[in-house]
Amino acid sequence: MIFGDQADTRQAVRRFLHAGGTVTLVLDGPLPDYPDRIDTVRYALRPALSDTAGLLRLIGPAWLIVDVGLPGGFRDRVRELAGHLHVLIVSEDPAPSEGSVTLVGGGPGSTTLLTLEACAALRQADAVLYDRLAATEDLTELAAGAELVDVGKTPYHHPVVQASIEDQLISRARRRESVVRLKGGDPFVLGRGGEEMLACVQAGVAVRVVPGISSALSVPAACGIPVTHRGVSKAFTVISGHVPPEPHELAALVGLNATIVILMGITNLDQIMAGLSRAGLPPGTPAAVIERGFSDNQRSTMTTAAELAATARRLEISSPAVVVIGDVVALAPAVPPASAEVVDAFAPWFTTPEVRAS
């Protein structure tokens, strides 16, 4: 049984319905018109504070009472009667009265790596627009009752164009919905989160950002590669491989003598590695590709810069994958693999096989 205004209780009602509960919504008059009602919800008018018999009849059959913004005097009376009847009562904050957009970083794909703030935003969402690489395995529970909208893209295939995503965010927020835009990694690391933020700002829609764990850092760590290490590398650069870098950019990367992390780079890996070689990257530089980081079928491939592109073709490496180039890759064998498959051993500094199911 949920006490509160219809708009204030909308998120609580959805969560309990999603959990399979039988919900009675008690309103301080008038009851909504039938087209505005949820078919599976029973609606009741809140009795007067002095109507003890009416309150007892209402409360008596309930096993749980949810207080969503009851006035102080009425809250005290309901709590008193619920105590006499041994009915559990809890309080929840009302749903936001104004629409907003929250850009949430979902991390590298596992819901166990969502931040507490990300989980709180999902719990309060009316709608979640999620990406292909976002953490979605438990999304129906994390955003119980929310409308889930798949707006994901695959490489070079965008069923829902970016402008449409931004329009959906804005239009839903203007309808007073709490909208979560759930993105893989961190919204502001090669995730177009900045574009979505600016679109909301320009439209006058309230927007906030919940940072996430970027795959540029977490996926290498999943197989034991630190992107920096004292005495080995004191800097790292993250680049997008969606469009191959220009020659002067590649020269700058090589000249920095730091770890290079490439996201979205599998399709253009041949061109990128050839360009790095022309820019002076030593052919024996350790290199790795980690596919499907933090999933049950994560695979780590270790080789050299000279062999990386050919190895990726031979092993049919595919997206999503993170490429790491630099001496830090040679530190990975310090972490023993859960299981291993021998393919070739053409990276002599490794004591474990080239390809690992990690």
Side-chain angles (χ1 to χ4, degrees):
M1 180 170 293
I2 301 176
F3 283 81
D5 176 83
Q6 186 173 13
D8 290 346
T9 61
R10 67 183 189 272
Q11 294 172 348
V13 167
R14 282 202 306 267
R15 284 197 301 274
F16 281 100
L17 289 175
H18 177 80
T22 300
V23 176
T24 297
L25 180 57
V26 184
L27 302 171
D28 184 19
L31 296 182
D33 295 332
Y34 283 100
D36 297 327
R37 297 189 186 190
I38 300 172
D39 292 341
T40 52
V41 173
R42 174 177 173 258
Y43 294 83
L45 285 173
R46 193 177 79 193
L49 180 60
S50 59
D51 185 2
T52 301
L55 284 170
L56 288 172
R57 285 194 300 270
L58 192 63
I59 294 171
W63 64 270
L64 173 68
I65 294 172
V66 182
D67 162 22
V68 183
L70 275 174
F74 206 96
R75 177 187 297 115
D76 294 341
R77 184 58 173 158
V78 169
R79 286 184 177 276
E80 178 187 2
L81 296 176
H84 288 309
L85 296 170
H86 304 288
V87 177
L88 180 65
I89 183 168
V90 296
S91 296
E92 286 199 16
D93 293 331
S97 58
E98 298 296 329
S100 65
V101 172
T102 304
L103 307 178
V104 173
S110 171
T111 53
T112 61
L113 295 175
L114 286 169
T115 64
L116 293 175
E117 184 67 16
C119 291
L122 287 168
R123 185 174 183 271
Q124 297 163 0
D126 294 307
V128 179
L129 278 64
Y130 62 93
D131 276 348
R132 177 178 68 99
L133 299 181
T136 58
E137 60 194 40
D138 300 318
L139 192 53
T140 55
E141 299 303 322
L142 291 167
E147 182 182 356
L148 306 181
V149 183
D150 183 356
V151 294
K153 309 180 182 86
T154 57
Y156 306 97
H157 178 59
H158 300 170
V160 184
V161 297
Q162 185 65 28
S164 175
I165 294 173
E166 293 166 8
D167 287 344
Q168 290 188 56
L169 295 174
I170 293 166
S171 62
R172 286 176 176 274
R174 284 175 172 168
R175 296 200 299 266
R176 300 189 175 183
E177 293 183 19
S178 295
V179 188
V180 165
R181 176 72 172 101
L182 181 62
K183 308 175 77 65
D186 182 273
F188 283 2
V189 179
L190 303 178
R192 307 191 77 166
E195 298 173 40
E196 292 167 358
M197 179 191 69
L198 291 175
C200 290
V201 170
Q202 291 166 3
V205 168
V207 59
R208 69 187 184 100
V209 179
V210 177
I213 302 173
S214 173
S215 60
L217 308 179
S218 58
V219 171
C223 70
I225 300 175
V227 293
T228 63
H229 190 83
R230 187 172 60 174
V232 179
S233 175
K234 61 182 179 181
F236 66 94
T237 302
V238 182
I239 67 168
S240 167
H242 186 69
V243 176
E246 297 293 330
H248 69 278
E249 295 172 326
L250 295 168
L253 286 173
V254 173
L256 188 58
N257 195 30
T259 304
I260 301 171
V261 180
I262 306 173
L263 305 183
M264 303 177 290
I266 299 304
T267 299
N268 294 315
L269 192 58
D270 280 271
Q271 188 173 345
I272 293 170
M273 297 312 298
L276 287 170
S277 176
R278 288 192 297 270
L281 181 71
T285 303
V289 185
I290 307 96
E291 301 167 86
R292 302 175 295 276
F294 287 97
S295 70
D296 292 338
N297 57 348
Q298 174 177 312
R299 181 170 70 159
S300 308
T301 303
M302 316 293 184
T303 182
T304 63
E307 297 288 343
L308 182 59
T311 301
R313 288 194 306 275
R314 179 170 57 83
L315 298 179
E316 298 182 344
I317 288 173
S318 60
S319 298
V322 176
V323 177
V324 188
I325 303 166
D327 291 337
V328 291
V329 173
L331 300 172
V335 178
S339 60
E341 175 190 355
V342 178
V343 178
D344 276 320
F346 46 63
W349 58 87
F350 290 120
T351 58
T352 53
E354 162 199 41
V355 176
R356 300 201 317 231
S358 52

